[in-house]
Each structure stands twice: as structure tokens, then as C-alpha cells.
Amino acid sequence: DETFTQWVDADVMGFYFSAGSLPILRQFAEEYRVRQTATGCEFTWTVGIRMRWWAQPAGRIMRAVLRHKAKKGFPILEGLVRA
């Protein structure tokens, strides 16, 4: 179940999952913000994860995977936006 908590066209989008297909997650939330700058824009991505008690040790691994994916994916996203 996905619920949008914020939506401002071209500025902010926030949502959370209260149920999903991954049994290790209790809740998952994301927020995307775009802020205009003098030379273009700045993109901020915030993620909140609440894992089940028995899966919490895997949280550090999950955080590292998300960071790696973001570092790899954001330059691709930037290229697509500039095209």
C-alpha cells in the first residue's frame, strides 16, 4: 500500500509504504525535493526505512547498497535531465 504524503508539481514528492512485498520491511518512506539554484537545480533524496526486528542487522548492508546505487544512478539521471 503506497500513500502519497506530499505533492507539489516540480518541487516535492513524498510517499510511504505501509505494506509491501518485502517481508523484512515494516515501513518505507521516500521524499524527493528539487530546489532551483543560480546554475540549475539541486535534487535531494531522503529515504526512511523501518525494518522488522529480526532484519535490523541487515540495515547497514541495505544502507550501503542504497548509497552505492545512488552514487551510480544520479549521474545517469543528471545526464537524462540535461539532454
Side-chain angles (χ1 to χ4, degrees):
D1 294 329
E2 181 177 295
T3 303
F4 279 84
T5 57
Q6 302 174 75
W7 186 280
V8 178
D9 283 345
D11 286 332
V12 65
M13 178 180 72
F15 62 93
Y16 72 92
F17 295 95
S18 57
S21 60
L22 292 175
I24 65 170
L25 298 179
R26 282 183 42 213
Q27 294 173 317
F28 182 86
E30 289 186 77
E31 180 186 76
Y32 304 92
R33 289 190 174 268
V34 178
R35 185 178 64 85
Q36 297 296 320
T37 67
T39 58
C41 66
E42 177 182 271
F43 176 74
T44 304
W45 176 43
T46 305
V47 177
I49 299 172
R50 194 170 278 166
M51 302 179 83
R52 301 220 181 265
W53 67 268
W54 49 266
Q56 288 178 2
R60 289 184 182 191
I61 295 168
M62 195 169 189
R63 188 173 341 177
V65 168
L66 282 172
R67 278 195 181 123
H68 174 74
K69 296 277 186 189
K71 282 183 180 181
K72 193 174 180 181
F74 285 154
I76 296 168
L77 177 61
E78 182 179 10
L80 291 170
V81 170
R82 290 184 186 276

